[in-house]
Amino acid sequence: MGEDALPWWQDAVFYQIYVRSFADSDGDGVGDLEGIRSRLGYLELLGVDALWLTPFFRSPMADHGYDVADPRDVDPLFGDLAAFDALVADAHGHGLKVTIDLVPNHTSDQHLWFQQALRSAPGSRERARYYFRDGKGPDGSVPPNNWTSVFGGPAWTRVPDGQWYLHLFAPQQPDLNWDDSEVRADLVQTLRFWLDRGVDGFRIDVAHGMAKPADLPDMDPGAMAIMAGTQSHEVVDPRFDNDGVHDIHRLIRKVLDGYPGTMAVGEIWVDRDDRFSYYVRPDELHLGFNFKLVEADFDADSVRRAIDRSLTAVKATGAAPTWTLSNHDVVRHVTRYGGGDIGTRRARAMALVELALPGVTYIYNGEELGLPNVDLPDWALQDPVWERSGHTERGRDGCRVPLPWEGEIPSFGFSRAGAAWLPMPPHWASLTVEAQLEDPDSMLSLYRHALEIRKTSAAFGGDDLEWYGAPPGCFAFRRKGGGLICALNTSAAPVPLPPGEILLASGPMEGNQLPPETSVWLV
Ligand code: GLC
């Protein structure tokens, strides 16, 4: 099979659009589908292959769209179905694939099914689509088990007739019961609805959720994690990664197989590599997000371990590995790496490491501009995590601040009206697309250059790599097929470069030395 015969996603660069924050066309301060359509030229210029749009479905927005009231319609905040169709057509015209979020673990509490369940009696058909249970204790006032919500607080909320319902996330996101045949049939209908409109694939939200153990056993409170159902060898978390989930992924795969050229990637917060690999078996999801690079420090050993584990986890299944440095749920990596000039320098170095790796890369909107996380004032915080944690966790708004496009003052061209849904720092004037586009030393230029080389150079061939010996705090690997060499220096001193001709460096070079916090591509 020649390179051309590989499915398009095997080495694609995806660009994640957090729809609220990308571009606002109608001046309400919130990004929308028309806004995305108006910026497709930028995405083509950047050089990405595919888009992932976060949820734009009908929603009361308790979790900014991850609480879906109707999965087969567009929320008026973001546009309508005609705007979606126009976006898909134009994106395809720009050579961009379009993938969208699918949120199968839960619905909104405003979903028709949940409203019917609330109006129906305990034990009714309507309640069986969710997890309604009686409480414990003489008056049933103790929740059915000790599960906590990922957003903080108990995972159960009591309804007026005394029963409790399960929500692994906010109370406005009741968990669906995946043993119910109607729940499954509805998912198939949703998949087909969007596939028939021309989407190229799906990102499956909480793909390690959905299935629950029949007896809903108590969890070990030590398993608590903010964004993760982190399964380590030591702590088994009964809320996540139950074996029953794989049947659901097989169901999804079966539908996609009827639409050649389409794919699904799962959000899989599962730490154990063996258990992670089950999700990407040949009859399940095409790809799995792993968050090993997100969790790794800027340290050569830590990054190398993350790379090795990611490669090992998919090797047995034949799936391509995926790489992510940031997304809408985690602190932006410029800030994770120390912020300021240091954070930016390290982010540049890691961008080249990530884009040198075999497999699939996901870029989170704004990382190509080097955006840092924003310290927002209390009054601006909107993430349910802030309220649910009793104001102890600030939540994820800091990585969701809208993108700066042009001009000198907020909202920097994001919104025609001026104010964006989250305040944008005035000093982002130097980070706008406009400010970076012609500057050869900007983060944007680095990404554009890297993506162009990645697309056109034969050095990126092959799906395996080998490690070289390297000084402490450094690593170097070589793509076995094409021969690209990538070296990273996370130590405090310059080190000798591996032999080869430099294709691209993340920062200024010092003769034959690789400076600290710098990476380089060589052939
Ligand atoms: C996923 C999403 C996150 C959302 C949660 C609940 O983890 O990435 O943003 O809050 O699911 O749907």
Side-chain angles (χ1 to χ4, degrees):
M1 187 156 85
E3 285 274 304
D4 289 341
L6 284 180
W8 64 266
W9 63 81
Q10 288 275 62
D11 58 357
V13 176
F14 284 77
Y15 186 88
Q16 179 192 351
I17 294 186
Y18 193 70
V19 178
R20 289 184 80 82
S21 301
F22 188 69
D24 168 25
S25 73
D26 60 6
D28 63 359
V30 174
D32 46 46
L33 299 179
E34 230 2 79
I36 300 170
R37 196 162 76 94
S38 73
R39 298 290 187 182
L40 288 171
Y42 167 74
L43 296 169
E44 189 178 0
L45 194 75
L46 176 61
V48 296
D49 305 304
L51 311 179
W52 154 27
L53 310 183
T54 58
F56 49 81
F57 318 110
R58 280 208 183 250
S59 164
M61 306 291 164
D63 187 18
H64 290 336
Y66 281 98
D67 49 321
V68 181
D70 180 352
R72 295 186 286 274
D73 200 2
V74 173
D75 196 277
L77 188 64
F78 298 130
D80 54 21
L81 283 169
F84 180 77
D85 292 341
L87 172 57
V88 172
D90 278 17
H92 285 163
H94 284 269
L96 297 163
K97 305 280 186 188
V98 179
T99 69
I100 65 174
D101 234 300
L102 189 77
V103 190
N105 181 69
H106 42 264
T107 67
S108 159
D109 62 347
Q110 300 306 310
H111 190 289
L112 180 67
W113 279 354
F114 194 72
Q115 289 299 311
Q116 288 173 343
L118 287 179
R119 289 195 299 269
S120 304
S124 59
R125 163 86 211 92
E126 285 76 11
R127 289 211 171 172
R129 298 190 189 106
Y130 294 90
Y131 282 92
F132 278 87
R133 294 287 185 279
D134 293 328
K136 292 203 252 191
D139 55 354
S141 65
V142 179
N145 70 19
N146 74 348
W147 290 8
T148 50
S149 144
V150 173
F151 292 163
W156 296 92
T157 290
R158 203 169 191 193
V159 299
D161 61 39
Q163 278 210 311
W164 298 76
Y165 70 89
L166 176 69
H167 51 86
L168 293 184
F169 295 88
Q172 297 88 342
Q173 293 166 297
D175 277 50
L176 284 165
N177 170 17
W178 277 89
D179 294 329
D180 187 277
S181 58
E182 251 187 288
V183 168
R184 290 181 186 236
D186 192 71
L187 175 81
V188 172
Q189 209 186 325
T190 300
L191 288 167
R192 291 193 187 287
F193 179 86
W194 295 107
L195 287 164
D196 289 339
R197 297 195 104 87
V199 306
D200 301 290
F202 299 90
R203 176 262 188 187
I204 317 285
D205 189 59
V206 200
H208 57 308
M210 300 186 270
K212 314 287 188 297
D215 51 345
L216 302 179
D218 276 350
M219 64 185 278
D220 178 338
M224 270 205 303
I226 278 301
M227 256 335 285
T230 310
Q231 293 271 44
S232 70
H233 285 275
E234 296 76 38
V235 185
V236 173
D237 180 345
R239 297 172 302 172
F240 293 106
D241 192 31
N242 290 287
D243 290 338
V245 77
H246 297 290
D247 252 4
I248 304 166
H249 293 311
R250 284 188 199 103
L251 174 71
I252 293 173
R253 179 59 178 257
K254 231 194 194 139
V255 176
L256 293 181
D257 281 347
Y259 292 80
T262 62
M263 51 75 68
V265 57
E267 180 203 24
I268 306 168
W269 287 95
V270 170
D271 190 53
R272 270 179 55 172
D273 297 338
D274 55 344
R275 295 202 60 93
F276 179 92
S277 73
Y278 299 159
Y279 289 79
V280 290
R281 287 178 288 201
D283 61 345
E284 297 195 34
L285 301 175
H286 302 81
L287 299 172
F289 273 117
N290 84 70
F291 299 98
K292 305 260 168 5
L293 278 188
V294 168
E295 288 160 342
D297 295 330
F298 184 78
D299 159 75
D301 290 341
S302 164
V303 175
R304 178 173 166 167
R305 221 173 9 253
I307 294 172
D308 275 336
R309 284 191 59 193
S310 304
L311 291 173
T312 313
V314 293
K315 195 157 235 166
T317 67
T322 71
W323 311 101
T324 304
L325 291 170
S326 283
N327 67 29
H328 65 295
D329 291 327
V330 301
V331 172
R332 282 187 178 274
H333 57 275
V334 164
T335 303
R336 289 204 315 273
Y337 295 152
D341 288 347
I342 281 279
T344 299
R345 218 176 134 91
R346 293 173 170 174
R348 293 175 65 95
M350 284 303 296
L352 293 199
V353 169
E354 181 181 44
L355 288 167
L357 291 165
V360 179
T361 300
Y362 277 86
I363 294 174
Y364 176 50
N365 58 193
E367 82 172 60
E368 80 281 14
L369 303 176
L371 299 187
N373 237 62
V374 179
D375 270 331
L376 292 162
D378 290 3
W379 61 261
L381 297 180
Q382 304 196 19
D383 186 350
V385 169
W386 173 239
E387 288 301 329
R388 296 278 304 163
S389 69
H391 296 184
T392 56
E393 297 285 340
R394 299 189 73 72
R396 300 161 291 173
D397 294 311
C399 67
R400 298 173 175 179
V401 173
L403 261 64
W405 291 93
E406 64 229 352
E408 299 299 322
I409 52 164
S411 66
F412 303 112
F414 163 73
S415 172
R416 227 183 283 141
W421 70 280
L422 287 172
M424 301 172 69
H427 65 265
W428 276 15
S430 61
L431 294 176
T432 62
V433 171
E434 183 184 44
Q436 297 198 38
L437 205 53
E438 303 297 331
D439 173 2
D441 296 326
S442 69
M443 186 72 90
L444 180 55
S445 295
L446 180 74
Y447 270 80
R448 285 180 64 194
H449 204 158
L451 290 171
E452 191 187 328
I453 296 176
R454 179 183 155 115
K455 194 164 284 176
T456 51
S457 163
F460 290 75
D463 55 11
D464 212 354
L465 54 82
E466 61 192 349
W467 296 99
Y468 289 132
C474 303
F475 68 54
F477 62 78
R478 183 175 162 279
R479 292 279 294 265
K480 270 192 190 163
L484 175 81
I485 297 164
C486 176
L488 170 72
N489 181 2
T490 63
S491 79
V495 295
L497 272 178
E501 177 200 328
I502 296 184
L503 278 183
L504 187 61
S506 71
M509 300 298 288
E510 297 165 13
N512 253 352
Q513 304 270 302
L514 179 61
E517 349 245 29
T518 307
S519 66
V520 66
W521 287 354
L522 305 138
V523 279

